[in-house]
Amino acid sequence: MSKPQVDEELANSIRERRFEKPVKFMPLSSPSLAQTHCQGPLKVNGSGQSLNEQELEQIKQELEELKAKHAWKEPKRDFMDDPMTVWMFDGVPDYSLTNYFFLKERTHHHAAGSLEETVEELVKTWEMERSHKPDCSQHCTTNPEKFRFSANGGKVFDNVQAHQVGNYNVMLDTCPKEYYDAENTTWQDSHHAFHKAFPAFPWEVLQVFSGPPKVAFTWRHWAHFTGEYNGKQGDGQLVEMYGFCTAELDDDMKMGELQVYFDPVKFFQDLLGTRRPGVKSVDIAVEQEEPGKIPKTLSNVDLTEDLTEDSASVFSAATNGSDDQPWPAPRRRKSTKTASSTKSSGGGCPFKHSFANM
């Protein structure tokens, strides 16, 4: 699979200027820029091989056909065209494979310019930067001084700490060690753990319940287990995660505090084939420290249920069973709210204009 040519002299010059301290930058390897962190096979074939060039070209062709047939557009990830950017895999990531699965298998089709679409693209851009830009001073979606990231009431990581350990380790910080030992897993190890399991791992926003400065929303993360994980061969089954998140945004629409709630145990049990249908997983965090805040446990709440059909159970847990919830729990499938375009026009934050009229 061909990759973009890299001017090593220019790349070294960029690295010296952009990192505060001398850093020996070691680009990671991948079969293609379309399969960097997820390198599983397209179909269950026993070989465990990543997509070859012919398969990838076929996916790109089918992606264009989907867009033309339904008048769909690919999700936009901003801040990918700065020539000064140092890339984790020595090239701009290619999201055509992920976008193909996203468009084809998403459960919600949000209206163009809606709050839901804007939040979805902001999170996708943030994830791109965390996964593909090794220098966090080049991240444009976070406020470096205010950014805090935690999952299920676990350890709160600041901007640098979160980037050093990686999104997987923050998200799985409270996961029982029998499934995942975040404390003793490095950034690279965390990504290698799932390398061969999935061909892609798309993500979507389900519903947004409040706009800035504190955005609250539910989400879905899914993949087809076509490869191998921890010695177990997948049979192509769908593996899903559902969750809830709050994100505080500053005046420039950069992320401050990010809190995520989901059930990691169910995900691993589905992956390993050890979950009994209808049995809910155990408590996934510690008890609440301060009254009045979102609790640090989601005891007996099955976040794998369709949150769009019955969000009330999740939100009841997030408010400790109180009926005084600050948001409604509507049952809907398609967004109708609109806003100005989310596309970037030169410098500045493209998301700021999207939220301005909401």
Side-chain angles (χ1 to χ4, degrees), residues 33-52:
L33 289 173
Q35 281 197 298
T36 52
H37 297 295
C38 290
Q39 300 179 12
L42 183 62
K43 298 179 181 179
V44 179
N45 52 27
S47 68
Q49 297 299 311
S50 306
L51 274 72
N52 57 40

Side-chain angles (χ1 to χ4, degrees), residues 82-329:
D82 185 349
M84 299 295 288
T85 299
V86 176
W87 294 103
M88 188 74 70
F89 294 87
D90 249 1
V92 180
D94 176 1
Y95 279 96
S96 56
L97 179 61
T98 302
N99 290 346
Y100 168 77
F101 281 108
F102 168 76
L103 292 179
K104 187 176 180 180
E105 300 180 351
R106 58 183 170 171
T107 61
H108 285 58
H109 296 247
H110 301 305
S114 66
L115 177 59
E116 286 83 358
E117 183 192 63
T118 302
V119 171
E120 189 169 72
E121 293 188 344
L122 172 60
V123 175
K124 286 179 183 291
T125 300
W126 168 76
E127 185 279 331
M128 175 275 297
E129 292 191 315
R130 289 280 153 175
S131 298
H132 290 278
K133 296 181 180 181
D135 179 6
C136 63
S137 72
Q138 293 188 323
H139 296 184
C140 302
T141 53
T142 54
N143 183 315
E145 287 77 30
K146 296 182 179 180
F147 184 74
R148 300 292 183 271
F149 186 15
S150 65
N152 295 325
K155 177 180 177 180
V156 178
F157 295 80
D158 65 25
N159 186 52
V160 174
Q161 291 171 334
H163 192 52
Q164 287 175 339
V165 302
N167 280 1
Y168 288 171
N169 284 333
V170 177
M171 294 282 287
L172 297 171
D173 177 64
T174 63
C175 185
K177 291 187 177 182
E178 63 187 280
Y179 295 105
Y180 188 91
D181 187 359
E183 186 178 357
N184 295 303
T185 302
T186 66
W187 188 98
Q188 284 189 321
D189 288 341
S190 70
H191 286 270
H192 287 157
F194 304 99
H195 252 179
K196 301 300 182 181
F198 317 127
F201 201 9
W203 181 93
E204 69 173 332
V205 161
L206 299 179
Q207 294 177 308
V208 178
F209 298 90
S210 62
K214 190 167 187 176
V215 181
F217 58 93
T218 51
W219 53 267
R220 171 181 173 251
H221 215 349
W222 75 97
H224 292 278
F225 187 18
T226 57
E228 181 269 337
Y229 172 75
N230 201 26
K232 178 178 174 57
Q233 176 64 46
D235 60 6
Q237 72 266 33
L238 180 66
V239 180
E240 299 176 285
M241 287 190 289
Y242 289 86
F244 175 72
C245 178
T246 61
E248 294 185 3
L249 305 176
D250 64 16
D251 292 340
D252 292 320
M253 296 304 140
K254 296 181 182 292
M255 292 186 186
E257 186 172 9
L258 186 66
Q259 296 182 333
V260 180
Y261 296 88
F262 74 110
D263 185 351
V265 173
K266 190 266 180 187
F267 171 75
F268 282 103
Q269 289 177 338
D270 285 348
L271 202 57
L272 297 170
T274 59
R275 188 173 75 95
R276 289 178 295 167
V279 177
K280 299 176 181 179
S281 58
V282 297
D283 293 357
I284 56 179
V286 297
E287 65 182 30
Q288 183 178 356
E289 290 183 351
E290 298 181 45
K293 290 189 176 182
I294 294 178
K296 293 183 177 180
T297 181
L298 292 178
S299 305
N300 302 318
V301 176
D302 188 352
L303 286 181
T304 66
E305 295 174 356
D306 186 347
L307 300 182
T308 65
E309 292 300 319
D310 186 7
S311 303
S313 62
V314 179
F315 305 135
S316 179
T319 55
N320 230 3
S322 170
D323 291 329
D324 299 326
Q325 298 174 7
W327 51 74

